[in-house]
């Protein structure tokens, strides 16, 4: 939580690096409600709690829900309208696999599984707007790779990591990204694809010391 929108923007810009040039702008009430929908759920963490969590974490968990309800009410949107609509990511997955097949002539079963993993960790579904689905900043690529390493068995994680450069190239083509920005994204994907999970130690083959949500410049 941040004391102001400006504080939150400054933190995000610090995390993604000097290329970030986003400015604050008001969102439509319906979009605000949809983005807050996961925070309004009765128990989004209930299946994950172990009973040993710090008191501060549990306090923030319930504080998050209270603030989300307050924001949705302030936006004038009924809480029921904020519930996430059912979304099928299969068309996106199939579009990528068709693109992949044109490039390689075949789609191995492992590749078909791996793109589902990337799509799941890539960002919210449905995205706030269609064009944001294909945003492929180095920061987003790095965070996706970290989530994959931390959340999957080595074999499955490594298949997804190896596919990350292809997924990034597809997103670059869908978004029309060019020049230095496209080069930086592609380089980030190659770097993450090279940092595979060691199958014996279940640890990253390339140890990293940076904080997970902050980019070290």
């Amino acid at each position: 939580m941040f004391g102001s929108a400006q504080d939150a923007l400054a933190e995000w810009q610090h995390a993604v690096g000097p290329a970030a040039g986003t400015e604050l702008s008001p969102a439509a009430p319906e979009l605000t409600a949809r983005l807050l929908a996961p925070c309004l759920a009765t128990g989004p963490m209930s299946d994950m709690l172990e009973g040993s969590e710090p008191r501060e974490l549990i306090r923030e968990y319930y504080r998050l829900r209270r603030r989300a309800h307050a924001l949705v009410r302030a936006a004038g949107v009924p809480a029921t309208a904020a519930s996430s609509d059912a979304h099928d990511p299969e068309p996106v997955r199939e579009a990528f696999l068709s693109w992949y097949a044109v490039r390689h002539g075949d789609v191995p079963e492992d590749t078909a599984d791996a793109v589902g993993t990337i799509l799941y960790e890539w960002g919210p579904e449905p995205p706030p707007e269609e064009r944001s689905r294909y945003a492929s900043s180095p920061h987003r690529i790095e965070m996706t790779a970290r989530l994959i390493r931390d959340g999957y068995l080595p074999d499955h994680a490594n298949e997804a990591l190896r596919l990350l450069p292809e997924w990034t190239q597809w997103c670059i083509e869908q978004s029309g990204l060019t020049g230095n920005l496209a080069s930086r994204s592609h380089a980030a994907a190659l770097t993450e694809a090279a940092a595979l999970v060691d199958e014996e130690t279940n640890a990253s083959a390339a140890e990293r010391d940076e904080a997970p949500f902050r980019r070290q410049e």
Side-chain angles (χ1 to χ4, degrees):
M1 296 295 183
F2 298 92
S4 69
Q6 288 72 22
D7 290 344
L9 176 62
E11 175 68 14
W12 181 82
Q13 290 176 326
H14 186 82
V16 300
T22 300
E23 296 181 358
L24 292 173
S25 62
E30 294 77 14
L31 176 58
T32 299
R34 184 150 62 86
L35 291 174
L36 291 172
C39 306
L40 299 172
T42 301
M45 287 178 55
S46 59
D47 294 335
M48 301 169 56
L49 297 177
E50 299 177 355
S52 60
E53 289 78 10
R55 182 181 298 273
E56 292 77 10
L57 175 63
I58 301 302
R59 183 182 296 118
E60 284 300 310
Y61 167 50
Y62 289 106
R63 180 171 176 259
L64 173 67
R65 289 176 56 198
R66 290 196 303 271
R67 296 195 69 176
H69 277 285
L71 286 169
V72 170
R73 285 196 300 270
V77 179
T80 54
S83 59
S84 296
D85 296 331
H87 177 71
D88 182 11
E90 189 63 20
V92 179
R93 178 175 173 274
E94 290 300 322
F96 170 80
L97 292 177
S98 296
W99 174 88
Y100 184 95
V102 170
R103 287 167 63 93
H104 299 280
D106 186 28
V107 180
E109 183 177 349
D110 288 344
T111 298
D113 292 339
V115 70
T117 300
I118 294 174
L119 185 58
Y120 183 81
E121 301 296 352
W122 187 246
E125 287 291 341
E129 56 180 351
E130 185 61 24
R131 64 178 182 174
S132 68
R133 184 195 304 281
Y134 309 111
S136 52
S137 69
H139 182 64
R140 188 177 195 179
I141 294 166
E142 291 161 9
M143 283 307 308
T144 298
R146 183 179 292 273
L147 291 170
I148 291 171
R149 292 190 193 95
D150 291 347
Y152 298 85
L153 294 174
D155 283 347
H156 197 104
N158 289 340
E159 286 292 342
L161 291 170
R162 292 187 184 102
L163 187 62
L164 197 54
E166 299 260 23
W167 169 265
T168 300
Q169 181 59 38
W170 182 69
C171 288
I172 287 173
E173 293 181 14
Q174 302 308 304
S175 65
L177 196 66
T178 59
N180 182 57
L181 293 178
S183 298
R184 290 178 64 236
S185 295
H186 193 252
L190 290 174
T191 297
E192 299 303 327
L196 299 178
V197 179
D198 188 288
E199 298 187 11
E200 294 184 1
T201 64
N202 198 28
S204 172
E207 291 297 331
R208 294 166 177 248
D209 297 326
E210 70 266 23
F213 294 103
R214 175 162 295 182
R215 188 180 188 76
Q216 301 296 325
E217 299 295 341

